[in-house]
């Protein structure tokens, strides 16, 4: 029997109504399966999500409260109240928020509501990284050298790190939670105290628990995880592995199944280790055991942690196994048996997923906010889009930066990567800076094509954050052309004096990129265009109000364009470009004698380390800004005196807003 027959072989579900206690793409993903199974779906939302796609897709939606997670998606009492109000038989927590909260699972049981996930006891054992490692050790699963026990103090960690040889580099990790929060790589003893403080602060904020562990950090290692599925009747299976080595700041960027370096023999060993640990913990439902795999010796894997929930990257496993993992979760929660054995699980083909996020690759991948004025999803054979946004969606700083997941499958890895690259080129997101262009360059890179990946690859900068100069120049021309089109009123050509048949007066546009980059001057005269030393013939044809065809020296491309709050957006592929039209500004040298620290991203002020009158040295910490679960430390650019602190802790700030004023010392 093939595992692909799992759906039809199951008996009918017992649930009539299921509440989805999450938001974004995972809420949409779960609701689609519920509707396909004929189960009534109830969504919950915060004030920031009132117009979100998951709200519209559900049969009913119930408001939780303000945008703050603690008053909405993390508020156990409000979620349970919504479940009772809607008559829900079960709650599906998705991933993140309450999905790994044993207290929430117990509260569901106390209120007679089925929690779609593992039992609280398994969650407590495996959700805590220290307890999980001790459990893995008990069943013979290999571990990395380190210090793992409950309640470790900073002094104990420092003593261990300084007591033995070759302790560094090491990894500091939050004992609770996941998603890369509360993790720091430490390469020298002097950096360890600050890393411990930062990891504890981040862990406390993210998971309500500042417990830590430390372990040896392996350079150029791969991150491989095993999908587990277990019912309440003793069946525990693994569904193959996923390669998740491409990460940035310990957050996964690209995932695939199967791994290009895991042989059938190693796959079986990994699966056996994961299953043994799940059995030991009494695990039920869908979960993931994560392993570190040395790049030069995949057979020498070591256990990292268990994610006691569905993973963001679960679609690649669904593609290669033919299973709907959300349906499996629901049926297991309804006390049904898995109708297959390990021998029935077969991996077919290859699948790759990328996470498209609201972030700026040219600004160190800092989170961005905005409104999607153009949104178009790719289609085609083997393409799936799991999205939490729609045309007109506003993306703010309140939640994770993940917008959508783009998944491609093929008969082999090459076909899957090729389809994914083309799909990224067909994706359109205007009005909001994203990492889509960066992802396209990543998918096309020689390292990814060859499968030569490790967890530090992206941090080494092997993939360009920005498009090349020729693409940027062409985008500037497209911006100028579409700017002219939008100025013409009912007759666009009235706004194109440089292109009139009878006119040859040059029209000059000075364009400032939104974010990093130099101002670009585009000169249009008749049917000619010039940018710096580059000159070309120009022809522009309107296709519809949001699209134009622009030919440069006879080479034509179709550009999508939009105007958002004074920003001009254009895109003809995976990269989107945003500019503002500016006038020349002459600045008096005396006006820049001081210094000003501006917010590099929208967010809130987490901490302030200086006050007016303080003297600071170059590199001294001034304040910390937090946005979308990320902290950014802002430091003094030079020796200076603090003349003013303009913000307070907790203030919400916009990108470019002045935070601290400095009187910079003369060199």
């Amino acid at each position: 029997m093939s595992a692909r027959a799992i759906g039809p072989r199951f008996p009918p579900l017992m649930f009539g109504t299921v509440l989805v206690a999450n938001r974004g793409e995972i809420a949409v993903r779960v609701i689609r399966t519920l509707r396909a199974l004929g189960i009534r779906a109830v969504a919950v939302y915060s004030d920031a999500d009132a117009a979100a796609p998951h709200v519209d897709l559900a049969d009913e939606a119930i408001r939780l409260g303000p945008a703050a997670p603690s008053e909405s998606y993390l508020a156990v009492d409000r979620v349970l109240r919504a479940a009772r109000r809607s008559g829900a038989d079960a709650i599906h927590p998705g991933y993140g928020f309450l999905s790994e909260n044993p207290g929430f699972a117990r509260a569901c049981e106390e209120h007679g509501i089925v929690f779609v996930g593992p039992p609280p006891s398994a969650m407590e054992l495996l959700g805590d990284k220290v307890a999980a490692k001790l459990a893995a050790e008990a069943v013979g699963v290999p571990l990395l050298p380190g210090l793992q026990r409950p309640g470790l103090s900073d002094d104990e960690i420092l003593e261990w790190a300084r007591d033995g040889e070759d302790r560094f580099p090491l990894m500091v990790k939050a004992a609770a939670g996941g998603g890369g929060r509360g993790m720091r790589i430490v390469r020298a003893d002097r950096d360890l105290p600050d890393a411990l403080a930062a990891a504890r602060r981040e862990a406390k904020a993210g998971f309500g628990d500042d417990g830590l562990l430390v372990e040896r950090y392996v350079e150029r290692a791969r991150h491989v995880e095993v999908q587990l599925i277990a019912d309440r009747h003793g069946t525990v299976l693994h569904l193959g592995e996923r390669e998740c080595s491409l990460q940035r700041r310990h957050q996964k960027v690209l995932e695939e199944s199967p791994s290009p370096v895991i042989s059938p023999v190693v796959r079986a060993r990994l699966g056996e280790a994961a299953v043994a640990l799940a059995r030991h913990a009494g695990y039920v439902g869908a979960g993931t055991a994560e392993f570190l795999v040395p790049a030069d010796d995949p057979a020498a894997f070591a256990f990292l942690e268990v994610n006691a929930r569905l993973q963001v990257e679960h679609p690649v496993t669904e593609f290669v196994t033919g299973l709907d993992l959300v349906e499996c979760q629901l049926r297991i929660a309804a006390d049904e048996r898995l109708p297959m054995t390990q021998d029935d699980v077969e991996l077919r083909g290859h699948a790759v997923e990328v996470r498209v996020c609201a972030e700026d690759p040219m600004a160190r991948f800092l989170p961005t906010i905005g409104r999607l004025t153009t949104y178009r999803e790719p289609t085609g054979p083997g393409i799936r889009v799991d999205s939490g946004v729609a045309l007109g969606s506003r993306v703010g700083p309140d939640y994770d930066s993940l917008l959508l997941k783009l998944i491609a499958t093929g008969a082999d890895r090459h076909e899957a990567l090729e389809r994914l690259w083309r799909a990224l080129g067909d994706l359109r997101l205007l009005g909001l800076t994203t990492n889509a262009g960066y992802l396209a360059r990543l998918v096309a890179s020689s390292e990814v094509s060859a499968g030569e990946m490790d967890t530090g690859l992206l941090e080494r900068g092997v993939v360009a954050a920005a498009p090349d100069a020729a693409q940027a120049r062409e985008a500037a021309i497209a911006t100028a052309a579409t700017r002219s089109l939008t100025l013409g009123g009912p007759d666009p050509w009235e706004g194109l004096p440089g292109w009139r048949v009878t006119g040859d007066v040059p029209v000059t546009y000075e364009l400032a990129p939104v974010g990093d980059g130099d101002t670009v001057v585009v000169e249009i005269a008749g049917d000619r265009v010039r940018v710096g030393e580059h000159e070309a013939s120009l022809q522009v044809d309107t296709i519809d109000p949001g699209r134009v065809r622009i030919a440069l020296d006879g080479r034509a491309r179709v550009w999508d364009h939009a105007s958002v709050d004074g920003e001009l957006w254009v895109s003809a592929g995976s990269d989107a470009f945003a500019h503002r039209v500016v006038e020349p500004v002459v600045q008096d040298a005396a006006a820049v004698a001081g210094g000003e620290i501006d917010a590099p991203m929208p967010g809130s002020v987490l901490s302030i380390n200086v006050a007016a009158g303080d003297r600071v040295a170059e590199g001294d910490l001034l304040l910390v800004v937090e946005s979308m679960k990320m902290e950014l430390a802002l430091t003094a650019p030079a020796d200076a005196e603090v003349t003013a602190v303009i913000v307070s802790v907790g203030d919400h700030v916009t990108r470019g807003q002045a935070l601290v004023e400095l009187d910079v010392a003369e060199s």
Side-chain angles (χ1 to χ4, degrees), residues 223-310:
H223 185 119
V224 175
E225 61 189 29
V226 176
Q227 177 67 58
L228 291 162
I229 192 79
D231 64 23
R232 300 182 187 276
H233 304 278
T235 299
V236 183
L237 308 176
H238 72 84
L239 305 179
E241 83 287 347
R242 296 186 288 256
E243 173 88 39
C244 304
S245 297
L246 293 177
Q247 302 178 10
R248 190 186 59 258
R249 293 193 292 268
H250 314 300
Q251 301 250 3
K252 299 165 188 172
V253 175
L254 180 149
E255 306 97 0
E256 60 183 301
S257 183
S259 166
V261 299
I262 299 299
S263 67
V265 172
V266 175
R267 177 173 301 124
R269 286 185 54 213
L270 279 165
E272 289 166 2
V275 167
L277 179 57
R279 285 191 185 280
H280 176 76
Y283 198 85
V284 174
T288 305
E290 305 198 353
F291 297 86
L292 182 143
V293 177
D296 57 352
D297 186 9
F301 59 81
F303 173 73
L304 289 176
E305 63 187 60
V306 170
N307 281 286
R309 54 175 170 81
L310 199 66

Side-chain angles (χ1 to χ4, degrees), residues 369-402:
I369 61 173
R371 181 172 62 88
L372 288 175
T373 56
T374 300
Y375 178 64
R376 189 165 67 249
E377 296 179 355
T379 58
I383 297 300
R384 167 174 157 181
V385 180
D386 283 9
S387 176
V389 294
L391 182 65
S393 289
R394 290 189 177 275
V395 178
D398 302 294
Y399 307 117
D400 190 272
S401 62
L402 179 63

Side-chain angles (χ1 to χ4, degrees), residues 21-76:
N22 218 297
R23 64 175 303 278
E25 52 83 25
I26 182 56
V28 172
R29 160 79 186 89
V30 174
I31 291 169
R32 283 176 174 164
T33 289
L34 291 171
R35 293 179 66 87
L37 294 171
I39 299 172
R40 181 169 171 267
V42 177
V44 290
Y45 65 93
S46 73
D47 290 346
D49 278 335
H54 75 279
V55 174
D56 294 337
L57 185 62
D59 296 290
E60 179 184 355
I62 297 176
R63 177 184 178 272
L64 293 175
S70 61
E71 298 182 71
S72 53
Y73 298 104
L74 285 173
V76 171

Side-chain angles (χ1 to χ4, degrees), residues 106-397:
R106 285 198 176 90
C108 288
E109 292 178 359
E110 292 169 1
H111 287 79
I113 299 171
V114 175
F115 175 78
V116 182
S121 58
M123 223 184 296
E124 287 171 337
L125 177 62
L126 299 177
D128 182 283
K129 296 183 181 68
V130 173
K133 286 181 180 292
L134 295 176
E137 188 176 36
V139 294
V141 178
L143 301 176
L144 290 168
L147 187 62
Q148 299 116 9
R149 62 173 180 265
L152 280 176
S153 68
D154 286 2
D155 288 342
E156 288 176 300
I157 295 173
L158 289 167
E159 181 180 354
W160 174 85
R162 294 164 179 169
D163 187 45
E165 296 181 0
D166 298 324
R167 297 294 201 203
F168 297 92
L170 58 80
M171 174 75 80
V172 176
K173 285 185 176 182
R181 302 203 73 187
M183 295 176 65
R184 295 291 188 278
I185 299 172
V186 185
R187 300 185 180 278
D189 178 85
R190 64 179 179 276
D191 299 326
L192 186 53
D194 287 345
L196 293 172
R200 286 196 192 278
R201 182 174 64 245
E202 198 170 278
K204 183 69 174 178
F207 316 121
D209 181 349
D210 67 355
L212 300 177
L213 62 90
V214 290
E215 61 190 15
R216 178 74 174 172
Y217 177 71
V218 179
E219 301 281 4
R220 303 213 172 189
R222 303 177 80 110
H223 185 119
V224 175
E225 61 189 29
V226 176
Q227 177 67 58
L228 291 162
I229 192 79
D231 64 23
R232 300 182 187 276
H233 304 278
T235 299
V236 183
L237 308 176
H238 72 84
L239 305 179
E241 83 287 347
R242 296 186 288 256
E243 173 88 39
C244 304
S245 297
L246 293 177
Q247 302 178 10
R248 190 186 59 258
R249 293 193 292 268
H250 314 300
Q251 301 250 3
K252 299 165 188 172
V253 175
L254 180 149
E255 306 97 0
E256 60 183 301
S257 183
S259 166
V261 299
I262 299 299
S263 67
V265 172
V266 175
R267 177 173 301 124
R269 286 185 54 213
L270 279 165
E272 289 166 2
V275 167
L277 179 57
R279 285 191 185 280
H280 176 76
Y283 198 85
V284 174
T288 305
E290 305 198 353
F291 297 86
L292 182 143
V293 177
D296 57 352
D297 186 9
F301 59 81
F303 173 73
L304 289 176
E305 63 187 60
V306 170
N307 281 286
R309 54 175 170 81
L310 199 66
Q311 290 280 82
V312 178
E313 57 273 19
H314 76 274
V316 296
T317 296
E318 292 185 321
F319 261 130
V320 298
T321 62
L323 301 174
D324 182 328
L325 291 180
V326 173
E327 180 178 349
C328 290
Q329 286 185 296
L330 292 165
R331 292 189 180 277
I332 289 169
D335 206 27
E336 297 178 12
R337 294 176 180 269
L338 286 168
M340 59 183 178
T341 67
Q342 190 63 60
D343 290 340
D344 296 319
V345 177
E346 180 183 356
L347 307 186
R348 301 180 187 176
H350 203 94
V352 190
E353 170 186 299
V354 288
R355 306 183 187 195
V356 180
C357 299
E359 59 186 20
D360 187 353
M362 294 179 63
R364 294 176 292 155
F365 295 92
L366 295 177
T368 60
I369 61 173
R371 181 172 62 88
L372 288 175
T373 56
T374 300
Y375 178 64
R376 189 165 67 249
E377 296 179 355
T379 58
I383 297 300
R384 167 174 157 181
V385 180
D386 283 9
S387 176
V389 294
L391 182 65
S393 289
R394 290 189 177 275
V395 178

